[in-house]
Amino acid sequence: MPDKNGILIVFSGPSGSGKDTVLKKLTEKNDDIRVSISMTTRPKRGQEVDGADYYFVTKDYFEKKIADGEMLEYAQYAGNYYGTPKAPVDEMLNAGINVVLEIEVQGAAKIRKIYPDAVSVFLMPPSLPALEERLRSRGTEDEETLSHRLFIAEQEIRRASEFSYVVVNDSIDDAVCDFETVIRAEKMRFSRNKNIISEVISNV
Ligand code: 5GP
């Protein structure tokens, strides 16, 4: 039997690459995968719901959580704080749930250091023009924010080789399937099945 702890999965990709859409489908299809809810100081966008999409908080509140050691990781992105509250992630992993952290590349690098067993997946847009087109059609950013996000996107894409896996998002269904394949393969790593030999032998 595999070890009972869940797998921690870091999922990054530039703004507009389709991370939310991929994760929505992935979690609808797989009960054993949950997405950690991040905390942010950026204002709510579109139909976002506090406590579901993010915990929307003030800068003072966020800085208190950092000082109290309650954040697993955090980073500044486009002028706002974003971070992962630690306790719920640990609880889910201990309960055998696979947890996805949808975070940007600086946070991903921190998680890799803290959890060497974490799996990291980068969602790659098919091209920069395709990314720009998706960001524009989303219509949630003004022109200045949009060009800032595109600038960050290029920097992030250059860091994609820090990740263990790259999934190209030219079709959502294929990207979800690729993501599931990564998790299936990761479950079979020997390092996640340390007890299997003794279990099989003692069952003779
Ligand atoms: P957005 O404003 O588009 O929702 O998110 C901006 C960026 O922040 C995205 O790349 C997203 O993955 C990242 N992000 C969201 N939550 C977190 C978090 O908890 N930690 C870090 N480091 N990045 C996050």
Side-chain angles (χ1 to χ4, degrees):
M1 290 294 285
D3 294 352
K4 82 173 198 13
N5 275 8
I7 300 177
L8 183 62
I9 303 138
V10 177
F11 187 43
S12 300
S15 184
S17 56
K19 291 175 299 215
D20 286 340
T21 317
V22 168
L23 288 182
K24 189 165 179 291
K25 285 213 166 185
L26 186 77
T27 48
E28 276 167 9
K29 285 176 67 190
N30 298 276
D31 288 346
D32 60 341
I33 303 175
R34 306 246 174 93
V35 182
S36 150
I37 303 172
S38 294
M39 197 174 278
T40 184
T41 58
R42 90 145 156 73
K44 247 189 241 172
R45 193 167 70 196
Q47 302 297 308
E48 285 177 333
V49 176
D50 186 31
D53 296 290
Y54 279 107
Y55 297 107
F56 295 97
V57 301
T58 61
K59 190 164 173 270
D60 284 351
Y61 186 88
F62 199 108
E63 287 175 346
K64 171 141 190 358
K65 292 290 166 188
I66 299 172
D68 291 348
E70 291 183 31
M71 304 308 284
L72 185 55
E73 62 73 38
Y74 67 92
Q76 295 221 25
Y77 174 98
N80 287 298
Y81 278 123
Y82 291 82
T84 308
K86 184 170 175 1
V89 172
D90 286 342
E91 274 164 31
M92 287 189 278
L93 290 175
N94 289 337
I97 294 163
N98 304 310
V99 182
V100 180
L101 307 184
E102 197 235 279
I103 62 182
E104 49 67 69
V105 294
Q106 308 164 68
K110 288 183 199 159
I111 294 294
R112 266 190 236 103
K113 281 204 185 122
I114 311 170
Y115 290 90
D117 275 356
V119 181
S120 61
V121 180
F122 191 90
L123 190 67
M124 186 68 91
S127 69
L128 273 183
L131 184 72
E132 178 168 357
E133 168 57 30
R134 276 192 211 158
L135 263 180
R136 282 192 187 283
S137 63
R138 188 162 89 179
T140 45
E141 272 88 13
D142 58 34
E143 196 58 34
E144 190 188 336
T145 313
L146 196 134
S147 54
H148 192 193
R149 282 181 177 245
L150 280 172
F151 171 78
I152 300 173
E154 193 174 329
Q155 315 300 313
E156 293 193 307
I157 289 169
R158 288 183 198 281
R159 292 183 64 176
S161 59
E162 295 172 15
F163 289 71
S164 325
Y165 296 94
V166 60
V167 168
V168 178
N169 188 13
D170 43 19
S171 136
I172 291 286
D173 287 340
D174 288 351
V176 171
C177 184
D178 290 348
F179 203 136
E180 287 171 330
T181 306
V182 166
I183 297 174
R184 278 181 73 90
E186 285 292 331
K187 282 185 185 163
M188 289 181 270
R189 258 190 207 280
F190 235 112
S191 58
R192 299 190 203 279
N193 294 272
K194 291 193 193 92
N195 299 328
I196 194 158
I197 296 175
S198 57
E199 279 171 11
V200 168
I201 290 176
S202 66
N203 280 340
V204 171

